[in-house]
Amino acid sequence: MQSPASNNNLHLHLSLSHTHWFIVQIRHLQSHKPRFDTKMALPMLQMLLVSDPFLSTSNNRFPFSHIPILPSSRSPQPSQALKHLSRGRSRRPKCSAAAADVGGGLLIGDREEGDSSSILVGPVSEGEREVVDYDWTEEWYPLYLTQNIPDDAPLGLTVFHKQLVLYRDDAGLLHCYEDRCPHRLAKLSEGQLVDGRLECLYHGWQFDGDGKCVKIPQLPAGAKIPRQACVRTYEIRDSQGVVWVWMSHKTPPDLTKLPWFENFARPGFQDVSTTHELPYDHSILLENLMDPAHVPISHDRTDWTAKREDAQPLLFNVTERKDRGFAGWWGRETDQSMPNFLRFEAPCVLQNNREIVDKNGETHYFSGLFLCRPSGQGKSMLIVRFGSTRQSTLAKFFPKWYFHQNASKVFEQDMGFLSSQNEVLMKEEVPIKALYLNLKSSDTWVVEYRKWMDKAGHGMPYHFGHSSISLPKKPAVVEHAPAGLVAGISASSPAKGGLGAIHSPNLANRYFRHVIHCRECRSVVKAFQAWKNALSVLALLSTGVAILISTKQWKTLLLVVTALCLTGAYACSKAIELSTTNFIRTHRRL
């Protein structure tokens, strides 16, 4: 039989264990649930302690003063109670990347390691955060390059979670509907064009440019088409070679918000424009595009300018902060100048401009324009337009499709990083400042963008802000960029699916992400494929004739023809590969 003293020790041990378990659970909720209110946990903990018949006795004198006041910060500090319970245990040094607001700066880890606020971008305090009126539907979104819209088929597109269908009628006019048939909700983008009308291929209902149903094959003779048989239409505008859509049905289109790019209207301005569908959120894409610091490392030797030995601190000067975006100048520290002007404008327009005066005093204008449309959770579609009023002599010797495949290569180099970043943001469920270590000498634009999301994100379906976050109510499946064996198989085949299924969509494959959205690249791939087949057949025929013929001179000539045809077929194969095969870094190749 145990003594009363040993029973008391057992009860005390169990009670303290229950309290310890409760505190650990609160810590877990606080770390993983941003909306968890820790103030509600204090009465619950005190009730637990008071209701325990052993701990509530005055003889035991449990130190209620050691019950921690759980802070609301996302970076929990060890409570006094847990310290009391864990005394004597060995401690290991930990790397803490959680951010805390201390004196307006961003401090990482223990203060003993040094104050990092001089090199890290500090967050805005809760009291200083500005919120503006914003409605994501009252904006113009870039849908497609006008030159790439097919003439003979509808085109399915999305803006956030809204599915749209875009098509050109027999008069050449563009129309945009909600992408679902009012009959049984089939996608109209899977339909066809009949006499300038859009036909649903499920039951053959046809709709005119105003969205009214004008034909139902199953309707009895003499019956009228129901007034409800119509589709919701969206206002669109074709401006400077891009089709834009106004997403609001409550507010009339605001043409003052329709973007206009001055450089693209200058005499002699020429550009190379490409479209890319990408497997990560549009905010991550924008963040990547306004990050010049990663270019020398991630895109080393991809073009004639990116070299990893040029990686260095950058200079930034923010000159504008408005409700709809921000702007400023930037440059390299070694140059001691900031010749590049960056502007972000809501909802998803980013441009980087530069002016150069030549030795004759003539000013030349250069622009990099990025139109990033949110096409669903974990997806985005990007229209890239690089242009200038002065053309490079060397660039004139390369066809446009070569620059298209090089642009695809650039985005593939970043795709693995950004798709995994998308997954982490969804899993952690905390604002950006709790995860990023933003340097003043490289990440200023990234912080400016995420702080703008703090101001306007409440008016979007979801957002990841610097100090705030709003996750999708129904998170979609996050898609991953392929790696290892999967990447090798996917990249080795000029097909959407990577396994010979050329019509199977897969955002991890270049053919699906770019070629199907580019009229020029589709034509080039078809042309090279035709030449490859023709040369292969010709090589086979010349070889057969060379075997049958007995004259040595003709046999030699035919074998030379065979060799030339096979060389040409191989060259066509490599050209097709350039346009359809993913880039894989050398150390990742099998």
Side-chain angles (χ1 to χ4, degrees):
M1 181 178 295
Q2 293 181 333
S3 66
S6 62
N7 284 332
N8 288 344
N9 291 335
L10 176 61
H11 287 305
L12 177 60
H13 175 76
L14 291 175
S15 298
L16 290 177
S17 297
H18 292 161
T19 306
H20 186 193
W21 174 87
F22 185 87
I23 295 173
V24 169
Q25 297 306 310
I26 296 300
R27 287 294 180 195
H28 177 77
L29 288 173
Q30 188 182 19
S31 299
H32 293 82
K33 301 295 181 182
R35 300 181 179 87
F36 179 71
D37 189 357
T38 54
K39 295 180 180 179
M40 298 180 62
L42 292 177
M44 297 168 62
L45 178 58
Q46 291 175 351
M47 288 176 62
L48 171 67
L49 297 175
V50 173
S51 61
D52 190 300
F54 184 79
L55 292 178
S56 60
T57 60
S58 58
N59 292 333
N60 291 293
R61 297 177 182 175
F62 183 82
F64 281 91
S65 61
H66 287 181
I67 298 176
I69 302 298
L70 302 178
S72 59
S73 170
R74 296 294 305 151
S75 54
Q77 301 295 327
S79 67
Q80 294 297 326
L82 290 181
K83 286 181 179 179
H84 174 77
L85 292 171
S86 60
R87 283 176 182 171
R89 298 179 183 176
S90 60
R91 297 183 180 180
R92 297 179 180 179
K94 294 182 179 180
C95 173
S96 173
D101 292 331
V102 182
L106 186 65
L107 300 183
I108 308 301
D110 296 329
R111 292 295 298 272
E112 290 78 3
E113 296 296 327
D115 189 348
S116 302
S117 59
S118 62
I119 62 172
L120 298 173
V121 182
V124 176
S125 65
E126 296 292 328
E128 297 175 352
R129 189 184 305 160
E130 179 185 1
V131 177
V132 299
D133 291 334
Y134 189 79
D135 185 343
W136 73 273
T137 64
E138 297 177 1
E139 296 284 4
W140 293 97
Y141 291 85
L143 280 182
Y144 225 64
L145 286 170
T146 308
Q147 64 186 17
N148 289 332
I149 297 176
D151 298 321
D152 56 353
L155 186 64
L157 303 167
T158 57
V159 178
F160 280 113
H161 55 283
K162 297 292 186 180
Q163 296 181 333
L164 311 177
V165 57
L166 179 68
Y167 77 95
R168 194 189 301 271
D169 64 18
D170 53 359
L173 300 178
L174 293 171
H175 304 278
C176 186
Y177 302 157
E178 185 177 22
D179 192 11
R180 67 183 188 187
C181 180
H183 178 211
R184 298 266 290 280
L185 307 182
K187 277 194 171 186
L188 293 173
S189 58
E190 296 292 332
Q192 63 183 354
L193 299 180
V194 179
D195 298 328
R197 299 187 296 267
L198 180 57
E199 179 183 85
C200 176
L201 269 179
Y202 196 11
H203 293 89
W205 290 28
Q206 294 182 3
F207 302 88
D208 64 12
D210 296 326
K212 296 179 181 179
C213 184
V214 294
K215 182 179 180 180
I216 299 179
Q218 299 83 10
L219 201 64
K224 293 184 178 181
I225 296 177
R227 294 182 60 185
Q228 301 92 327
C230 60
V231 290
R232 176 176 290 185
T233 61
Y234 288 88
E235 291 284 343
I236 55 175
R237 294 291 186 276
D238 185 350
S239 176
Q240 296 184 297
V242 177
V243 177
W244 301 79
V245 62
W246 179 262
M247 292 302 297
S248 177
H249 286 102
K250 298 179 180 179
T251 307
D254 185 351
L255 293 180
T256 63
K257 289 185 176 181
L258 184 65
W260 177 261
F261 309 106
E262 183 179 0
N263 282 351
F264 284 77
R266 295 183 185 278
F269 192 91
Q270 298 182 33
D271 72 284
V272 176
S273 300
T274 61
T275 303
H276 308 268
E277 198 165 3
L278 299 166
Y280 39 83
D281 189 73
H282 83 287
S283 67
I284 295 176
L285 172 60
L286 276 166
E287 180 184 277
N288 171 254
L289 295 171
M290 60 179 66
D291 172 23
H294 86 282
V295 174
I297 303 296
S298 184
H299 308 307
D300 179 32
R301 266 72 181 183
T302 301
D303 58 21
W304 303 298
T305 60
K307 300 177 182 179
R308 67 178 300 112
E309 57 265 26
D310 290 337
Q312 60 183 282
L314 303 176
L315 304 175
F316 299 93
N317 180 25
V318 182
T319 57
E320 296 180 27
R321 288 190 181 97
K322 298 182 179 180
D323 292 351
R324 292 179 47 75
F326 58 89
W329 298 86
W330 68 274
R332 299 190 302 179
E333 187 180 67
T334 54
D335 298 335
Q336 286 300 305
S337 64
M338 292 181 281
N340 308 290
F341 185 75
L342 179 141
R343 178 181 295 279
F344 166 74
E345 185 176 358
C348 50
V349 175
L350 179 69
Q351 53 181 318
N352 204 353
N353 300 323
R354 184 169 182 173
E355 299 178 8
I356 296 179
V357 180
D358 63 18
K359 59 182 180 180
N360 298 321
E362 183 180 359
T363 302
H364 299 279
Y365 301 89
F366 299 82
S367 281
L369 179 62
F370 307 96
L371 310 177
C372 311
R373 171 166 51 84
S375 56
Q377 171 57 214
K379 299 178 182 179
S380 55
M381 179 169 278
L382 171 65
I383 297 175
V384 184
R385 309 187 73 180
F386 283 106
S388 69
T389 54
R390 184 179 68 179
Q391 300 301 307
S392 169
T393 304
L394 184 61
K396 296 178 182 179
F397 294 96
F398 292 88
K400 282 191 175 181
W401 66 265
Y402 175 82
F403 295 105
H404 288 204
Q405 65 84 25
N406 201 61
S408 296
K409 178 180 179 180
V410 168
F411 292 108
E412 287 158 8
Q413 288 171 336
D414 287 340
M415 191 164 62
F417 311 139
L418 304 184
S419 59
S420 61
Q421 181 181 347
N422 195 115
E423 181 182 6
V424 171
L425 289 178
M426 291 294 296
K427 284 184 176 180
E428 292 295 331
E429 301 182 355
V430 295
I432 295 297
K433 72 174 184 179
L435 300 172
Y436 287 12
L437 298 180
N438 289 313
L439 299 177
K440 295 179 180 178
S441 55
S442 64
D443 307 312
T444 295
W445 299 138
V446 173
V447 176
E448 288 294 326
Y449 173 62
R450 293 299 181 179
K451 288 182 178 180
W452 176 81
M453 293 287 276
D454 284 338
K455 295 195 297 184
H458 65 90
M460 303 178 188
Y462 55 86
H463 81 280
F464 303 96
H466 183 67
S467 303
S468 61
I469 185 174
S470 175
L471 296 176
K473 295 181 180 179
K474 296 180 179 180
V477 176
V478 178
E479 300 187 43
H480 301 270
L485 178 62
V486 177
I489 295 175
S490 179
S492 64
S493 174
K496 301 178 190 178
L499 293 173
I502 196 167
H503 299 294
S504 176
N506 181 356
L507 288 186
N509 188 275
R510 185 184 295 185
Y511 188 92
F512 180 76
R513 286 184 290 99
H514 169 68
V515 175
I516 66 170
H517 298 294
C518 178
R519 188 190 298 265
E520 181 170 353
C521 288
R522 287 199 309 270
S523 300
V524 167
V525 170
K526 289 180 180 178
F528 278 122
Q529 189 68 53
W531 275 104
K532 175 187 173 182
N533 294 338
L535 290 171
S536 299
V537 171
L538 187 58
L540 183 62
L541 291 175
S542 62
T543 302
V545 174
I547 294 174
L548 297 176
I549 202 168
S550 59
T551 306
K552 185 177 181 180
Q553 184 178 2
W554 281 105
K555 187 185 293 287
T556 303
L557 180 61
L558 289 171
L559 290 176
V560 170
V561 171
T562 298
L564 292 175
C565 289
L566 291 176
T567 302
Y570 176 77
C572 290
S573 297
K574 298 303 291 185
I576 295 172
E577 183 179 324
L578 278 176
S579 294
T580 60
T581 304
N582 281 9
F583 167 82
I584 302 178
R585 298 184 188 277
T586 304
H587 69 283
R588 291 289 186 188
R589 296 174 185 168
L590 297 178

